[in-house]
């Protein structure tokens, strides 16, 4: 049985995993700052793959789709601490510090931070709240969140643009976006939001572009990618189905055989 621990206190999240673990399909709704204390985490976004190694600190923007695999070190455990910056908090902070939101942030959605003893010390200061079962009260949580923002801002002005761009996703090229993100198994409503559309507008535009519904297109696209990965890359069905966006192996195998007339294990 897998031994694991995930503890969330307000906007702080502590993860401890003893075996390699694939994370749930994740829609990152708020900016997240994370520290990998031990092990490493493999992240896949629509723009590519990133490995965050032990001792690294990374920042990811809100409104991102992410797949993750947590990998503990040999004989040890994967441990990470994350802090989330909610939009309400950042708006309050910007008012308190007279920060006027500037231009829309156009940089990388995921940033690995350079080594910094102050940021490292900050995350070390959070660990006792999880390892000693001492839950911070709301005012202390607010102070620790402000401290994280202050540390980011002292590292460079572009972090101000990163954090205080409150604009919502604008209407983007639907075909290009879906072809890059079809393997993320999230509700259609999330795809609509991320392409800058209401759900009704998304479905209407989708049918104009692809001449089919989102559900039918996603299933066919995922099956075609799975067929390619199994037939041309020699991968096992059990290693492929999650990567292409299916939730469980039995449903994938049934749908694959129904579509191609042969079980995925026989391709």
């Amino acid at each position: 049985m897998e031994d694991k621990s995930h503890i969330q206190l307000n906007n702080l999240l502590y993860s401890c995993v003893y075996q390699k673990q694939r994370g749930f399909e994740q829609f990152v709704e708020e900016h997240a700052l994370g520290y990998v204390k031990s092990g490493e985490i493999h992240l896949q976004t629509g723009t590519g793959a990133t490995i965050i190694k032990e001792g690294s600190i990374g920042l990811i923007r809100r409104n991102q789709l992410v797949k993750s695999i947590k990998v503990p070190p040999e004989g040890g455990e994967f441990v990470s601490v994350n802090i989330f910056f909610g939009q309400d908090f950042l708006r309050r902070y910007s008012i308190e510090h007279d920060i006027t939101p500037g231009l829309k942030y156009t940089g990388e959605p995921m940033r690995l931070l350079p080594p910094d003893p102050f940021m490292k010390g900050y995350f070390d200061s959070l660990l006792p709240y999880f390892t000693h079962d001492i839950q911070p009260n709301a005012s202390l949580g607010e102070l620790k969140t402000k401290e994280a923002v202050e540390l980011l801002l002292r590292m460079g002005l572009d972090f101000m643009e990163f954090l205080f761009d409150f604009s919502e996703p604008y209407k983007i090229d639907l075909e290009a976006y879906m072809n890059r993100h079809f393997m993320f198994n999230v509700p259609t409503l999330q795809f609509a939001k991320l392409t800058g559309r209401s759900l009704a507008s998304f479905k209407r535009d989708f049918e104009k572009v692809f001449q089919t519904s989102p559900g039918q297109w996603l299933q066919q696209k995922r099956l075609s990618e799975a067929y390619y990965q199994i037939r041309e890359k020699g991968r096992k069905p059990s290693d492929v189905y999650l990567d292409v966006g299916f939730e469980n192996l039995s449903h994938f195998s049934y749908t694959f055989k129904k579509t191609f007339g042969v079980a995925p294990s026989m391709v």
Side-chain angles (χ1 to χ4, degrees):
M1 183 176 178
E2 185 180 69
D3 189 4
K4 62 183 180 179
S5 176
H6 301 286
I7 305 171
Q8 183 148 7
L9 303 176
N10 299 315
N11 60 324
L12 305 174
L13 177 65
Y14 173 87
S15 296
C16 176
V17 176
Y18 294 88
Q19 296 181 21
K20 185 176 179 180
Q21 179 193 89
R22 180 186 290 270
F24 292 108
E25 217 79 347
Q26 188 175 5
F27 170 60
V28 180
E29 191 170 4
E30 305 288 3
H31 303 319
L33 179 67
Y35 167 53
V36 178
K37 179 174 174 57
S38 62
E40 60 186 39
I41 185 166
H42 301 186
L43 298 178
Q44 178 72 42
T45 69
T47 57
T50 301
I51 297 177
I52 301 181
K53 296 185 177 294
E54 184 172 309
S56 297
I57 298 173
L59 180 67
I60 185 168
R61 270 184 65 78
R62 65 189 180 106
N63 293 330
Q64 301 295 320
L65 295 174
V66 177
K67 291 174 180 282
S68 67
I69 299 177
K70 298 172 182 177
V71 183
E74 186 174 353
E77 59 189 21
F78 169 89
V79 175
S80 70
V81 180
N82 297 276
I83 181 167
F84 300 93
F85 303 114
Q87 293 294 283
D88 289 344
F89 164 81
L90 290 172
R91 288 183 187 278
R92 291 198 311 272
Y93 185 98
S94 67
I95 292 171
E96 291 172 6
H97 294 80
D98 198 25
I99 296 173
T100 303
L103 298 175
K104 184 176 177 64
Y105 177 78
T106 57
E108 292 297 322
M110 185 158 26
R111 305 274 296 273
L112 284 179
L113 306 187
D116 182 86
F118 298 100
M119 190 65 79
K120 168 67 163 53
Y122 168 78
F123 276 103
D124 286 340
S125 76
L126 294 178
L127 287 171
Y129 294 109
F130 302 101
T131 57
H132 291 79
D133 196 26
I134 306 171
Q135 184 166 351
N137 58 34
S139 60
L140 183 56
E142 182 96 350
L143 284 173
K144 297 303 290 184
T145 306
K146 288 181 178 180
E147 182 182 357
V149 171
E150 295 284 349
L151 289 172
L152 282 170
L153 294 181
R154 66 174 285 276
M155 298 180 75
L157 291 177
D158 58 336
F159 286 114
M160 183 173 292
E161 295 178 2
F162 188 109
L163 293 172
F164 300 105
D165 169 14
F166 298 119
S167 62
E168 292 302 320
Y170 56 90
K171 198 169 185 178
I172 61 174
D173 185 307
L174 186 60
E175 184 175 10
Y177 186 88
M178 293 306 299
N179 278 312
R180 285 198 307 270
H181 296 84
F182 68 87
M183 73 292 295
F184 291 94
N185 187 5
V186 295
T188 303
L189 182 60
Q190 300 292 9
F191 282 127
K193 178 178 180 179
L194 292 170
T195 58
R197 293 164 168 86
S198 68
L199 182 58
S201 176
F202 175 81
K203 290 180 176 179
R204 184 171 58 251
D205 290 351
F206 197 99
E207 295 209 11
K208 287 181 182 178
V209 173
F210 295 105
Q211 287 79 54
T212 187
S213 68
Q216 290 175 325
W217 183 87
L218 284 167
Q219 177 169 288
Q220 188 56 50
K221 185 73 172 176
R222 291 165 179 167
L223 286 170
S224 296
E225 179 63 22
Y227 188 94
Y228 170 78
Q229 292 289 335
I230 296 169
R231 178 69 180 268
E232 303 299 330
K233 299 294 185 179
R235 298 184 65 195
K236 297 179 180 178
S238 58
D239 295 332
V240 167
Y241 77 98
L242 287 172
D243 285 349
V244 299
F246 280 86
E247 291 185 0
N248 62 73
L249 182 57
S250 61
H251 177 249
F252 165 71
S253 298
Y254 171 81
T255 309
F256 189 99
K257 184 174 182 179
K258 184 178 180 181
T259 300
F260 298 112
V262 61
S265 58
M266 302 300 292
V267 171

